[in-house]
Every structure is written in C-alpha cells, then in structure tokens.
C-alpha cells in the first residue's frame, strides 16, 4: 500500500500543477519532478475529499442494486449481476481503489504538513475522512489492513472489523477535538481548502457527531455495545436542521470533460451521475416505485415520487409519462429483459423485426416480442454540458423529444447529502421506537420525512418549472402526504421508519447497512424480497447459499494477487466463492 501511496501522491501533485494558477507554478520547484512537499494543505484536502466522496458514492450506488432500489438492463456487467444477487469481482474494486489510492495515500503527508503549521482544522478533517473511509471498508469488505495500512509495509496484515470500527470511533473523537481548537492566524484557514462545508467548522463538528450516532446505531446486533442513550446524546450535537447538514454541491461545467486521473469521469459532477446517471442502463425497481406511490397503502402518493422516478415523453402529441419500475420478483430478467429502448427519430416509418415503427415513436430493437413492452422503463440517465457536450442536462432524442428526464440525484449538478438532518431524525425515531416511546418516534419520523422533502425542494426550486421531474414539489401535495399518507403516532411501526429512511437515503451505502442489521426482513421492509433470478440461478446460490443473504463484498484483486497470505488469514472463507454471504463484524449478533 505504500507503493500506492507514493504513486498517487505523484499523480495528485502533477494534477495540481496542471490545474492551478500561474502564481502556483511560479514557485521554485521543477514541474517535471514534483515532490509530495509541493502540495499545500488546502490543495491536498480538496483532493482527499474528492476521492473519498467518489469511493462512498460508488459504494452507495452499487449497494442500492443489492437493496433492490435500482436494477440494470439485462447484461453480464457487474451492475446487472449485482442486481440479480449473482455478484462478480468487478463490483469490488472502485471503493477500495479511490479510498486507498486516491484519499488514503495523502493522509500521512497531510497530517505532517498540517501539524507543522498548527492547522488543527485540517487535522480534524483528515481524521474525520480517515474514519469515514475505513468504516466504509468495514461495511464493504469486513476485514482490511488498518494498523499497518498506508505505511512502509508492502504486504500489511489484515485487522478484524472490531479493531477497525473502534479505531474509526477514536478517530472521530480526535477529529472533534481538533475542530474545537482555535487555529493560529498563521495557519491556512479551512475555508481555503474545504469543498464540502466551505470552512464552516460547526458543520464539521455536527457531521462528526452525526457519524458517531450513525455508527453507534449500526451496533444494534451487539447487545453489550449497543447504547441507545449514547446515540441520543450524539444526536443532540448532530445536525438539528437541514441547514446544519453536510451537503456537497456539484456543477455541470462545460469545461469539465477531461476526466479524473483514476477514471475518465468528470471531477465536478455528482457521484451518482458519474456512477449511474451518465448511462442509459440503470433503472428503478417496482419495489422502489411502490414505496413512493402507495407507502401507507392509502393510495396517497409521496410528492417525492415525481422527482425520484424518471420521466420521458411519449405519444403524439408528446406528453410526459413517468417510468414504471422493473418487477425484480417476476421472471423478466430470466426472459432477457429488460432491454434498453430505441426510438424512431425520422419522419417516416421504419421496419423492425417484422413490424412497422411509426415516426417519432419508441420501440425495442429485439426479435423477442416479450421485450417489446420494455419501453415503459425509463433509465435515470441525465445528459450534461461537460461530459456529453450537450446544451442541457435533459437527455433527448435527435428530434428534441425527452428520452429521460433524469432524477433528483442522478443529474450532474445534483447535491450529495453526505450527512444530513433527515437521517438523524430517522436514527432518533428508530431508537425511540425501540425504547417504547411511540410519540417521540413519530415526531422524529415525521420531521425526517419533512426534512428530506425540504432539502430536495431547496435544490428543485433553483430549476424553475422545467418538467414534472425538474420542478419543486407543491405545498398542496406535501401537506396532503404529511397529513394523510404517513400514518400517526398511534400506528407508527419500525417498518414505516425504516422505509422512509431508505427513501431519504436513496443511493446511500447506509441502506444496505440497515437491511443487514434487520436481516433483510420483509416485516421491516414490507414487499421486499430477494430477486427472483437468484432463486433459480445456481451460480448465484454458490456465492450466496440459499438461506443466507448478501452480507459483504469479496476482497479486491489487488489483495488477492499481492497480499494473499494475509488475506487468507483474515477470514476462514476469505478466498472462497461464498464469502459474499458472511456477515461483517457489526452484522454478527452477540
């Protein structure tokens, strides 16, 4: 890992040279042989934030294929295989790569430089991101090099999940202490390098306490370690309003078309766009559609449905129609579906597989007539000014008809709700409900729903009224849903709390954590089941034997190929096909 750290340091410094101002290049350093001492704390923090954000965003998107909020067109790609609970090695690499190679390789130099100038807030940020990154590694892989990681050891030993988990909690406590310290006037202000909170130390503190609450709540299977009152205490110092959360802003910059040095993805766009929104293959599921359109079985639609589900234009004259969700409990994916739709952009009919396609209409280019109805599925694709060199972020056919509206989180300028008030509300609601305080649980639950709606509307209101997806939610729909569609204190259930939390945390890794904590129970997640194709696919059941669930991700090829001895010692099944089904440390009931 020390090799990776040195390589990435060189790459990042080269990137910094190529992207900074002329004044930066005027320093007395040979640009052809940059060293790690060149990068300032403010330059280094921005890149650490970028690479960690990409790691967690990738993990979150891929996790939501596991939790069945997302699915993929029928293919052998890692996203499609993950959605079918038949995972392949391709899903494992990116979170590891971007955290260790992109972010972690900078920690040691960052801490040394920040210590030298008493830049305590940069030390706090580094400690916080280190904790977030290693906790992601625990959530994702279970065991990981930790005490010997990012140092001189080329083949570091693996640490168990408990060691890493406790180390992350310790790092968060250290981060809190650093953020409470007053920097000297000679130290670089945090505002000059912080791309998340703009140097707002109070937001960083609240984020740290919020992370602590999240992680302590993830210990719900550990009877001796789970402390509900400690969670509530952390929540008192976490975000208490939507304005106190950490929301990362992104932009669709026409000049942002060069690509990241590890991937070719744009640097300034949202991570969900980079992972899913830039392609036409990612779809929403019927289960996700159902919980948005008929949550409490009263026929009252969630106002967020129009914004979280994609739309397209159909018919003559054209009108917007919202996508249907793919029923993952049906046989569709065992019958070669769903397939990506096509469109006759011309003014004359065309022939396709024995039928006539009228001008300016949708069709599926397949001889299998069972797939011809797949036009009801709209991808979450967004276009962009930078990556796609388009005039806007609305994906259109050549005749101007909207092929996909994009969704709230899949647009290039979509915000990343890294840690926010709604999640804190749902954690509080869960804890209070399990303590028997239904009134308190309902109040927190309702605040979480309203908080997420308000948080979304903050961004949606900046668009105006472009289309049904890209426009604010109306007060009438919001009030009706909150008054009549979410239940009452008298009928609040754990299921309602966790379903609403999963909506508010769409595209978050934490959704998979929560499903694991509750053993994928359809009592907690009503209507949820494993995908049908898993139940009839032998290869999938080799990786996740029947009666078990999707509990972790297999280790990356880097560790398998270059650190196999230590990997083998980390878990009895580390190199076995069924490692995907073995719970990580906090997921083991004690």
């Amino acid at each position: 890992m020390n090799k990776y750290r040195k390589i990435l340091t060189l790459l990042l410094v080269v990137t910094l040279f190529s992207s900074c101002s002329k004044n930066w290049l005027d320093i007395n350093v040979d640009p052809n042989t940059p060293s790690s001492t060149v990068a300032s704390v403010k330059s280094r923090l921005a890149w650490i934030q970028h690479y960690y954000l990409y790691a967690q965003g990738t993990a979150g998107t891929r996790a939501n294929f596991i939790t069945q909020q997302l699915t993929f067109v029928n293919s052998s790609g890692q996203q499609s295989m993950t959605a079918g609970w038949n995972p392949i090695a391709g899903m494992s690499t990116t979170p590891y790569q971007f955290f260790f190679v992109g972010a972690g390789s900078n920690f040691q130099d960052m801490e040394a430089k920040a210590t030298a100038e008493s830049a305590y807030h940069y030390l706090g940020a580094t400690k916080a991101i280190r904790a977030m990154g290693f906790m992601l590694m625990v959530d994702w892989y279970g065991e990981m090099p930790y005490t010997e990681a990012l140092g001189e050891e080329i083949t570091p030993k693996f640490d168990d999940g408990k060691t890493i988990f406790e180390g992350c909690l310790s790092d968060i406590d250290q981060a809190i202490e650093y953020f409470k310290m007053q920097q000297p006037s000679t130290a670089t202000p945090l505002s000059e390098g912080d791309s998340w909170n703009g140097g707002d130390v109070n937001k960083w503190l609240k984020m740290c306490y919020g992370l602590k609450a999240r992680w302590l709540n993830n210990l719900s299977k550990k009877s001796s370690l789970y402390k509900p009152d400690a969670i509530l205490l952390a929540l008192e110092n976490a975000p208490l309003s939507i304005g106190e959360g950490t929301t990362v802003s992104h932009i669709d910059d026409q000049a942002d078309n060069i690509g990241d040095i590890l991937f070719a993805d744009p640097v300034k766009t949202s991570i969900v766009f980079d992972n899913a929104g830039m392609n036409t293959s990612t779809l929403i599921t019927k289960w996700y559609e159902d919980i948005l359109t008929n949550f409490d079985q009263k026929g009252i639609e969630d106002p967020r449905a129009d914004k979280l589900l994609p739309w397209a234009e159909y018919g003559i004259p054209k009108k917007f129609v919202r996508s249907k969700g793919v029923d993952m409990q049906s046989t569709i994916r065992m019958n070669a579906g769903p397939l990506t739709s096509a469109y006759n952009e011309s003014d004359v009919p065309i022939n396709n597989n024995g039928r006539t396609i009228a001008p300016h209409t949708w069709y599926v280019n397949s001889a299998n007539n069972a797939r011809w109805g797949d036009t009801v599925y709209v991808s979450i694709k967004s276009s962009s000014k930078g990556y796609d060199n388009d005039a806007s972020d609305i994906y259109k056919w050549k005749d101007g008809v909207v092929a996909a509206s994009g969704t709230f989180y899949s647009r290039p300028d979509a915000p990343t709700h890294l840690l926010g008030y709604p999640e804190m509300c749902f954690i509080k609601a869960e804890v209070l409900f399990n303590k028997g305080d239904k009134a308190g649980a309902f109040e927190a639950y309702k605040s979480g729903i309203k908080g997420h709606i308000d948080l979304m509307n903050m961004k949606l209101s900046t668009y105006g009224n472009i289309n049904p997806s890209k426009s604010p939610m109306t007060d009438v729909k919001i009030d009706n849903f909150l008054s009549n569609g979410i239940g009452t204190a008298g009928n609040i259930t754990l299921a309602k709390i966790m379903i609403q939390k999963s909506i508010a945390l769409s595209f978050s890794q934490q959704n998979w954590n929560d499903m694991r904590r509750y053993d994928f129970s359809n009592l907690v997640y009503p209507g949820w089941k494993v995908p049908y194709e898993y139940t009839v696919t032998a290869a999938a059941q080799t990786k996740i034997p029947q009666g078990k669930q999707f509990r972790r991700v297999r280790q990356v090829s880097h560790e398998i190929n270059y650190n196999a001895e230590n990997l083998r010692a980390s878990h009895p099944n580390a190199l076995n096909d069924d490692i995907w089904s073995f719970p990580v440390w906090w997921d083991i009931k004690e």
Side-chain angles (χ1 to χ4, degrees), residues 475-493:
D475 290 341
V476 171
K477 286 188 175 181
I478 294 170
D479 293 343
N480 184 45
F481 182 65
L482 293 176
S483 298
N484 304 306
I486 66 171
T488 66
N491 61 23
I492 184 68
T493 63

Side-chain angles (χ1 to χ4, degrees), residues 132-419:
M132 295 163 76
F134 274 109
M135 193 63 81
L136 176 62
M137 298 299 100
V138 172
D139 294 344
W140 202 245
Y141 307 101
E143 301 77 36
M144 185 63 67
Y146 178 65
T147 55
E148 291 184 358
L150 302 171
E152 296 301 319
E153 183 58 60
I154 296 176
T155 55
K157 71 174 184 179
F158 280 68
D159 292 281
D160 60 30
K162 183 175 186 292
T163 298
I164 305 171
F165 197 102
E166 291 174 345
C168 292
L169 287 175
S170 176
D171 275 345
I172 278 294
D173 285 337
Q174 290 181 55
I176 289 170
E177 292 306 310
Y178 279 126
F179 283 123
K180 288 181 177 179
M181 296 172 70
Q182 184 71 37
Q183 287 194 165
S185 59
T186 54
T188 305
L190 184 59
S191 59
E192 293 186 9
D194 177 16
S195 65
W196 290 357
N197 287 315
D200 188 332
V201 174
N202 189 52
K203 282 191 174 184
W204 275 94
L205 279 167
K206 288 184 173 292
M207 186 187 78
C208 288
Y209 280 110
L211 289 168
K212 193 168 184 177
R214 176 196 289 173
W215 297 341
L216 291 175
N217 197 45
N218 283 347
L219 293 174
S220 58
K221 286 187 174 181
K222 304 293 187 185
S223 58
S224 64
L225 299 175
Y226 188 67
K227 307 294 183 184
D229 291 338
I231 298 169
L232 295 175
L233 182 62
L235 288 172
E236 290 179 7
N237 296 293
L240 299 175
S241 68
I242 59 172
E244 293 181 343
T246 295
T247 296
V248 183
S249 297
H250 304 280
I251 60 173
D252 184 11
D253 184 351
Q254 193 167 14
D256 186 18
N257 55 16
I258 297 173
D260 184 271
I261 59 174
L262 289 182
F263 275 12
D265 292 347
V267 174
K268 300 176 185 178
T269 51
S270 78
I271 309 304
V272 174
F273 172 76
D274 291 349
N275 274 274
M278 63 168 56
N279 67 64
T280 59
S281 302
T282 304
L283 307 167
I284 50 93
T285 65
K286 183 178 183 297
W287 181 70
Y288 189 53
E289 178 191 15
D290 287 347
I291 63 177
L292 283 165
T293 55
N294 192 22
F295 165 67
D296 202 25
Q297 305 303 308
K298 294 178 180 176
I300 300 173
E301 187 168 282
D302 190 322
R304 293 170 292 181
D306 285 348
K307 318 305 173 183
L308 295 172
L309 306 177
W311 296 68
E313 287 184 311
Y314 295 86
I316 297 175
K318 300 301 179 188
K319 67 176 182 177
F320 276 98
V321 178
R322 199 169 63 193
S323 178
K324 303 299 293 182
V326 179
D327 187 355
M328 295 297 287
Q329 295 163 28
S330 75
T331 61
I332 183 172
R333 283 170 54 90
M334 302 308 296
N335 289 299
L339 295 180
T340 303
S341 296
Y343 182 79
N344 179 9
E345 298 167 317
S346 71
D347 294 329
V348 297
I350 61 173
N351 293 318
N352 181 269
N353 292 294
R355 57 194 165 137
T356 299
I357 308 300
H360 308 289
T361 58
W362 295 65
Y363 67 101
V364 172
N365 184 17
S366 172
N368 181 359
N369 61 12
R371 301 275 56 83
W372 292 356
D374 288 355
T375 54
V376 299
Y377 307 123
V378 182
S379 76
I380 67 171
K381 161 78 176 173
S382 284
S383 193
S384 64
K385 298 174 184 177
Y387 181 78
D388 295 287
N389 196 28
D390 204 343
S392 77
D393 63 6
I394 299 174
Y395 179 51
K396 298 179 180 180
W397 301 112
K398 290 181 180 178
D399 63 357
V401 170
V402 173
S405 64
T407 66
F408 180 80
Y409 286 109
S410 67
R411 296 189 180 99
D413 68 339
T416 296
H417 295 145
L418 191 58
L419 186 135

